[in-house]
Amino acid sequence: MAAANAPIAMREALTLPSIGINQQFITFTHVTMESDKYICVRETAPQNSVVIIDMNMPMQPLRRPITADSALMNPNSRILALKAQLQGTTQDHLQIFNIEMKAKMKSYQMPEQVVFWKWITPKLLGLATQTSVYHWSIEGDSEPVKMFERAANLANNQIINYRCDPSEKWLVLIGIAPGSPERPQLVKGNMQLFSVDQQRSQALEAHAAAFAQFKVPGNENPSILISFATKTLNAGQIISKLHVIELGAQPGKPSFTKKQADLFFPPDFADDFPVAMQISHKYSLIYVITKLGLLFVYDLETATAVYRNRISPDPIFLTSEATSVGGFYAINRRGQVLVATVNEQTIVNFVSGQLNNLELAVNLAKRGNLPGAEKLVVERFHELFAQTKYKEAAELAAESPQGILRTPDTVAKFQSVPVQAGQTPPLLQYFGTLLTRGKLNAFESLELSRLVVNQNKKNLLENWLAEDKLECSEELGDLVKVGYTPDYLFLLQTILRTDPQGAVNFALMMSQMEGGCPVDYNTITDLFLQRNLIREATAFLLDVLKPNLPEHGYLQSKVLEINLVTFPNVADAILANGMFSHYDRPRIAQLCEKAGLYVRALQDPDIHFKYIEAAAKTGQIKEVERVTRESSFYDPEKTKNFLMEAKLPDARPLINVCDRFGFVPDLTHYLYTNNMLRYIEGYVQKVNPGNAPLVVGQLLDDECPEDFIKGLILSVRSLLPVEPLVEECEKRWNRLRLLTQFLEHLSRVMDYVNRLDNFDGPAVGEMAVEAQLYEEAFAIFKKFNLNVQAVNVLLDNIHSIDRAVEFAFRVEEDAVWSQVAKAQLREGLVSDAIESFIRADDATQFLEVIRAAEDANVYHDLVRYLLMVRQKTKEPKVDSELIYAYAKIDRLSDIEEFILMPNVANLQNVGDRLYDEELYEAAKIIFAFISNWAKLAVTLVKLKQFQGAVDAARKANSSKTWKEVCFACVDAEEFRLAQICGLNIIIQVDDLEEVSEYYQNRGCFNELISLMESGLGLERAHMGIFTELGVLYARYRPEKLMEHIKLFATRLNIPKLIRACDEQQHWKELTYLYIQYDEFDNAATTIMNHSPEAWDHMQFKDVVVKVANVELYYKAVHFYLQEHPDLINDVLNVLALRVDHARVVDIMRKAGHLRLVKPYMVAVQSNNVSAVNEALNEIYVEEEDYDRLRESIDLHDNFDQIGLAQKVDGSSPLPCQRRITFTKMPWRQASQSGDRDLAEELLVYYIDQGKKECFASCLFVCYDLIRADIALELAWMHNMIDFAFPYLLQFIREYTGKVDELVKDRIEAQNQVKAKEQEEKEVIAQQNMYAQLLPLALPAPPMPGMGGGFAPPPPMGGLGMPPMPPFGMPPMGSSY
């Protein structure tokens, strides 16, 4: 599958060697990653150190000289936990440091060695020793607390993980140990699950586990789930499973149903095992990662397999959840830090298309708000609506991915449904469902509010607004504002309880309302602070105090105060931004000092002013001058006024303040009025000549003598800005004449330049430039041959490149050309600039020239320039750009010549750049020269030079290159070359399927089969090739399939080929595969279900005796009866030891074909089964084969002898019939027959045979048939009274009971008669108004001999016989 369409995307976040981590330290014991924020690496060479890698800026690792045995970064914050063994002991010293505050938080000396530890929450460390597990909190000064003792199954295990569920009520410890002796390479996994509440452990076999929370429908509380992966060896078979179970099911609530699924490891990964498991809480997906780099992805709710792929060619030893993206990080032995994420654009389509699991696709889309299931969701919505299942439709719309159903059309659809009397309107059902799941959008909020307003239930709006359930809009405001004033304070308090950030947003919304905020800012702030929501209060105040108004001074102070006390760094940032200027500065300065922000404390303007004031009053003028010059925190206006009032003898402090803060006129007026003229001259001449016009203007206003002003102007001459000076004098019309001499002086400068020679040319030239006398300056520099300065004047001041070029041609100096070139380059005249740089022989600006030339696309000129540059410097950039420039102008021969010469070009980078910009011919030259065969191959593919691409791929010999060339050859229909490439790909198990899909997607079936057939003969041919070829035969060449299966049965992945044969309906081949895979039940079923193709009698006989499901035996009987009745006895003979013969006879009897299986019944009659005996006897009677009937009766006595006797032909001689009956008929059959004569004849028979016990048993069993006088007579005559005595006792007991019953009935009848008579007498007495008391009738005395019956007789065993079941006689001793 192409990576772009895969449901899981993999990328390399970084490689540890690229940031200086030595390969020897990339191991499980040196690298830790507790979350997606930090990686921690412990180094022991060249010195002991700990490297902390922040994943937000991984290329800037923090390395600290620390010696430790283990180091863990906190999952959330910059807190480091260190563990080190104390020398000479088995004790470990544990320490926790706050890196930002550079302070130790806690330390503890463990009395035993910690073999594994991990952050199980941001506040809690889990510590595992050889015997126990402890928890250590970073808060307070608590010591580690023992949680439980390690179970026996973890003895001698290496602990690799420890986790807790979100509630910290369930803990799991995982370890691994060497494999069993019969499979030592398969590592064992053991797990100990511990319940904190129950204080109980359970030991399980598992390699990896993780906890998750899941909401079961109908249960408002989330269920705690644990998922774990196992791979075990059982009876020589490797069993790999994923389990998902609920922990601590909630009584009376719907629970999560246990799920399990297979983990299918390819044959080449038979000894691979899971090393980690991560659960994406964002998408409810389970990631199982194995040591050899396999990734299994399963759905948490259903344990359905979603995806499997190899993500790393190197062993993976560490993973961590990537919470924000719903994926995970993995680190392998090479040092790659890989990140896996869900491909949100493809996963839903993949599940619905590739897996054909529409239900899972929709659930994934709803769960992760993913695209891809829109059509399915919309169709389902319309189905529910058509079925009037409005509640279900509302729930689906509320959960629809990306809100595709939360539209006005959906609202209109619910509105259109007629409302049934006594039922909730569907529209309200819809809105109610939305409200339970979150916030309504603007349109939904508006429609719901209309309903509420129409029903005059505006109080509901307050609640919903308070709970942040509605999205505010102008339309909504217009709807509710008429006659309605919300209680904003109540709303804010309500929101605060559940959603602090929502409360901030609500407060800011109030602050922007027309007419001002309805709640005072200070009240809002106090509401936040009462709940210790300092960050939220700060966010609110920073936003509303942006205008920096004086009336907000109290709130400015407040926000600074609360942060200086709790979060000084936040207060520091506020002060640094200069947001506020009206706060209580002394108070804030004191708090800054207490918080350690000493610089901020000193930034209080009042402090600085008081310092200046104190220094001035104590005569420390130098300190006043320094502070006024260096400090930026005093109040300029206040300080200026103070210094003027102080009248210090030294005016420099005042000059500093006025010059820095623009008080020059005030300064001039003060100095002039206080006769401090020398300070005016010093300021203009030495401090700031540029402000001379302002000084002159103020002096004119102060009516200063003109001579002083003229002298002042002339003293600075060229340093004086002319235009501002003229402007200042123009403001005062009568004073322009003051500048006449100065301006005349300027007009004579050029004349002086031309006439005079004996002056300091450089200095005068610079003065002319400063005086803006640019032409004079140019003339001066040119006169003194200062050509660089001269051309700079032309370029920088006069801004004439043409004159500069002309001047450069005239002087022909490299430095001049260099200045011209730089100016031309700045102006975008790239070709001209390059020409100038060449004339200047200047290679210093090559980076700027290269950049400009590429932007202007002037590569011909750039080649000339770079050839000049590389003569002066050996820079990889220069040589690389020269090759690139050659390629851009198609000078390929120059490239070949250049790379053969000594050069320092980065040829790999150049080749990649040429390839990326589709300069393939040039790239081909580079890659061929540097022997980068992989890139050469793909370059030749781009050039359609497929033979050369194959040759290059052969030299590269990498799977990726072979695939690129192979697929290109397939697209170009170069199948011979494609096959050469393909043979080098399909030997890799992971790449085989991709090649097969590529061919099949393009309809190249024959070519693909040819490729696979050629692959069978490869030395490295593996099971996947043989299996894939079998699948292809099943799809496209079924005539070859059976031969292939028989030839390579031992080298096939039979389950995969079984699926293919089943899909393509190749029943004969499918049967053969089932037999090879020992799936005899499926084989037998396939044969019977598809007999026209799959049935073979000999094969079926071999299969049916091996099935595990016994019902298949009888299905086979039916099958043969219907389709092959002539062979049914053959099949039954092989099943004789396995079937229930009675059931077989019953099947045949119901089918009416009992005679058909006579040979089978004869063969199994030795088992003396009643049904078989009776069936055969019945056949013998029907056939009048009395010899065989007699033989059957004599040898097999388990049959219905009475029934047989009745069926015997009436024409047979009676003596024979009786003899047969008496010989084999026991007393039980005699009792069942109901024949008195037969029973009494049987008694006589037993007397004749001298079988006394049989005589007694017959009496007992045939009690109902035998007459008492006959029994007693026979017993008395043959001296067998003792054996008849039980019968006699029972007989007497029975008849005594009958007499007693009769007596009882008679007494009851008499009592009833007397009672009736008494009742009649009472009626008569009542009628006569006489109350007579009649004596009660006494019951009749009992009759002699009627007192209660006999005691039960002793068991029959007392006579030397075994106890007999009571068939004909009632139970002994039963009551009446």
Side-chain angles (χ1 to χ4, degrees), residues 1117-1131:
V1117 174
H1118 284 289
F1119 168 74
Y1120 267 79
L1121 183 59
Q1122 294 172 6
E1123 296 192 17
H1124 305 285
D1126 55 324
L1127 299 173
I1128 191 169
N1129 284 288
D1130 195 12
V1131 170

Side-chain angles (χ1 to χ4, degrees), residues 219-498:
N219 188 348
E220 65 277 10
N221 299 319
S223 298
I224 301 297
L225 307 184
I226 184 171
S227 174
F228 56 94
T230 67
K231 189 171 185 181
T232 57
L233 188 66
N234 188 358
Q237 295 291 322
I238 296 179
I239 301 174
S240 304
K241 295 284 186 183
L242 174 76
H243 301 269
V244 184
I245 62 175
E246 181 176 1
L247 299 174
Q250 304 161 35
K253 300 287 186 179
S255 60
F256 181 85
T257 305
K258 178 182 178 181
K259 306 292 190 312
Q260 71 173 26
D262 291 328
L263 291 171
F264 178 72
F265 285 82
D268 292 354
F269 294 79
D271 295 320
D272 192 12
F273 61 93
V275 294
M277 179 184 295
Q278 300 294 341
I279 295 181
S280 168
H281 304 285
K282 182 176 181 180
Y283 303 108
S284 289
L285 294 176
I286 304 172
Y287 303 112
V288 181
I289 304 98
T290 73
K291 180 181 180 182
L292 297 184
L294 287 180
L295 167 64
F296 299 87
V297 184
Y298 288 82
D299 175 54
L300 175 65
E301 181 179 1
T302 62
T304 301
V306 175
Y307 183 63
R308 187 197 75 191
N309 197 11
R310 191 175 188 184
I311 60 173
S312 170
D314 298 280
I316 290 176
F317 65 89
L318 189 61
T319 67
S320 177
E321 181 183 0
T323 309
S324 59
V325 296
F328 65 91
Y329 282 93
I331 304 178
N332 62 21
R333 288 299 307 277
R334 193 193 302 176
Q336 286 180 300
V337 180
L338 307 172
V339 59
T341 57
V342 168
N343 191 335
E344 295 189 343
Q345 301 303 316
T346 63
I347 187 168
V348 174
N349 290 328
F350 175 85
V351 173
S352 62
Q354 296 286 333
L355 303 185
N356 196 26
N357 194 331
L358 302 184
E359 182 179 359
L360 178 58
V362 172
N363 287 340
L364 268 175
K366 292 194 297 184
R367 190 186 303 155
N369 198 25
L370 302 174
E374 293 83 357
K375 183 178 179 182
L376 298 173
V377 173
V378 172
E379 289 177 354
R380 179 60 178 158
F381 176 75
H382 290 307
E383 288 177 9
L384 293 171
F385 221 90
Q387 298 168 5
T388 67
K389 296 181 178 179
Y390 301 123
K391 181 180 179 183
E392 292 82 353
E395 291 176 349
L396 180 62
E399 297 174 349
S400 59
Q402 300 184 320
I404 58 171
L405 288 175
R406 295 183 62 174
T407 62
D409 291 340
T410 300
V411 174
K413 200 169 182 67
F414 279 105
Q415 285 174 330
S416 66
V417 179
V419 180
Q420 302 296 326
Q423 294 185 1
T424 304
L427 182 61
L428 286 182
Q429 287 186 5
Y430 174 57
F431 284 135
T433 303
L434 293 178
L435 287 170
T436 61
R437 281 164 171 76
K439 187 174 182 177
L440 275 62
N441 60 36
F443 181 80
E444 294 164 345
S445 301
L446 185 60
E447 290 300 317
L448 176 59
S449 298
R450 283 199 179 104
L451 287 175
V452 172
V453 171
N454 291 338
Q455 297 177 11
N456 198 25
K457 296 181 179 178
K458 291 185 178 181
N459 59 312
L460 293 176
L461 287 179
E462 289 190 13
N463 294 334
W464 290 333
L465 285 169
E467 296 169 2
D468 198 25
K469 294 289 188 180
L470 304 181
E471 182 176 328
C472 298
S473 62
E474 290 185 11
E475 295 85 351
L476 180 60
D478 294 340
L479 177 67
V480 301
K481 70 182 179 181
V482 178
Y484 172 64
T485 304
D487 186 345
Y488 289 103
L489 185 59
F490 169 74
L491 294 176
L492 180 60
Q493 291 172 325
T494 306
I495 299 173
L496 264 175
R497 285 195 290 268
T498 57

Side-chain angles (χ1 to χ4, degrees), residues 422-676:
Q423 294 185 1
T424 304
L427 182 61
L428 286 182
Q429 287 186 5
Y430 174 57
F431 284 135
T433 303
L434 293 178
L435 287 170
T436 61
R437 281 164 171 76
K439 187 174 182 177
L440 275 62
N441 60 36
F443 181 80
E444 294 164 345
S445 301
L446 185 60
E447 290 300 317
L448 176 59
S449 298
R450 283 199 179 104
L451 287 175
V452 172
V453 171
N454 291 338
Q455 297 177 11
N456 198 25
K457 296 181 179 178
K458 291 185 178 181
N459 59 312
L460 293 176
L461 287 179
E462 289 190 13
N463 294 334
W464 290 333
L465 285 169
E467 296 169 2
D468 198 25
K469 294 289 188 180
L470 304 181
E471 182 176 328
C472 298
S473 62
E474 290 185 11
E475 295 85 351
L476 180 60
D478 294 340
L479 177 67
V480 301
K481 70 182 179 181
V482 178
Y484 172 64
T485 304
D487 186 345
Y488 289 103
L489 185 59
F490 169 74
L491 294 176
L492 180 60
Q493 291 172 325
T494 306
I495 299 173
L496 264 175
R497 285 195 290 268
T498 57
D499 185 7
Q501 186 56 47
V504 174
N505 298 337
F506 184 70
L508 292 176
M509 181 199 73
M510 290 193 297
S511 70
Q512 298 168 6
M513 292 175 63
E514 293 183 10
C517 184
V519 182
D520 179 67
Y521 288 167
N522 191 45
T523 302
I524 295 175
T525 305
D526 288 342
L527 284 177
F528 284 111
L529 295 180
Q530 287 168 8
R531 291 167 176 80
N532 201 30
L533 298 174
I534 295 172
R535 296 185 186 277
E536 287 75 8
T538 302
F540 168 72
L541 288 174
L542 289 180
D543 194 281
V544 300
L545 298 181
K546 283 180 181 177
N548 193 21
L549 301 176
E551 57 266 29
H552 291 159
Y554 173 75
L555 291 175
Q556 292 181 0
S557 301
K558 191 167 192 173
V559 70
L560 289 171
E561 285 180 10
I562 60 177
N563 281 283
L564 283 169
V565 174
T566 54
F567 302 110
N569 56 327
V570 175
D572 188 27
I574 296 173
L575 291 169
N577 290 334
M579 298 174 62
F580 304 145
S581 57
H582 304 290
Y583 54 89
D584 185 345
R585 295 181 182 276
R587 170 65 177 160
I588 298 305
Q590 292 175 0
L591 292 175
C592 286
E593 185 177 0
K594 290 180 180 179
L597 302 177
Y598 302 112
V599 174
R600 298 295 176 204
L602 293 174
Q603 290 176 358
D604 180 12
D606 287 343
I607 293 177
H608 285 249
F609 174 76
K610 290 179 179 179
Y611 185 83
I612 293 171
E613 186 180 36
K617 290 181 177 180
T618 57
Q620 301 185 35
I621 306 302
K622 289 185 178 180
E623 190 64 14
V624 177
E625 190 278 331
R626 183 190 67 79
V627 174
T628 54
R629 174 168 37 86
E630 295 178 356
S631 173
S632 300
F633 302 106
Y634 55 82
D635 185 332
E637 180 76 27
K638 187 176 182 180
T639 304
K640 179 199 72 171
N641 294 337
F642 166 73
L643 291 174
M644 287 181 176
E645 293 172 0
K647 296 185 180 294
L648 299 179
D650 190 340
R652 285 179 298 171
L654 181 61
I655 291 173
N656 290 339
V657 174
C658 294
D659 180 61
R660 292 180 61 191
F661 297 101
F663 300 137
V664 174
D666 292 347
L667 171 66
T668 305
H669 177 73
Y670 173 83
L671 294 176
Y672 177 74
T673 55
N674 286 279
N675 200 25
M676 302 177 77

Side-chain angles (χ1 to χ4, degrees), residues 1240 1243-1244 1247 1255 1269-1279:
E1240 292 178 350
L1243 279 179
V1244 175
I1247 290 172
F1255 174 80
D1269 57 334
I1270 298 297
L1272 291 174
E1273 180 183 357
L1274 290 174
W1276 178 68
M1277 290 175 62
H1278 296 89
N1279 197 24

Side-chain angles (χ1 to χ4, degrees), residues 849-920:
V849 173
I850 290 170
R851 190 180 305 112
E854 289 178 352
D855 292 340
N857 196 26
V858 289
Y859 289 97
H860 287 88
D861 297 325
L862 180 60
V863 166
R864 295 171 47 236
Y865 173 76
L866 293 176
L867 288 172
M868 178 274 293
V869 173
R870 72 183 306 270
Q871 294 175 1
K872 294 182 169 296
T873 181
K874 299 298 180 185
E875 282 287 339
K877 177 71 173 177
V878 173
D879 287 2
S880 300
E881 291 296 332
L882 179 57
I883 296 173
Y884 178 75
Y886 277 142
K888 291 292 285 187
I889 58 179
D890 204 28
R891 288 170 59 176
L892 303 180
S893 58
D894 290 334
I895 294 177
E896 294 176 336
E897 180 180 349
F898 178 82
I899 60 179
L900 290 172
M901 297 167 54
N903 66 83
V904 293
N906 190 331
L907 295 179
Q908 179 62 56
N909 290 348
V910 175
D912 292 338
R913 184 180 178 189
L914 295 173
Y915 179 87
D916 293 339
E917 296 194 20
E918 301 182 358
L919 299 171
Y920 299 124

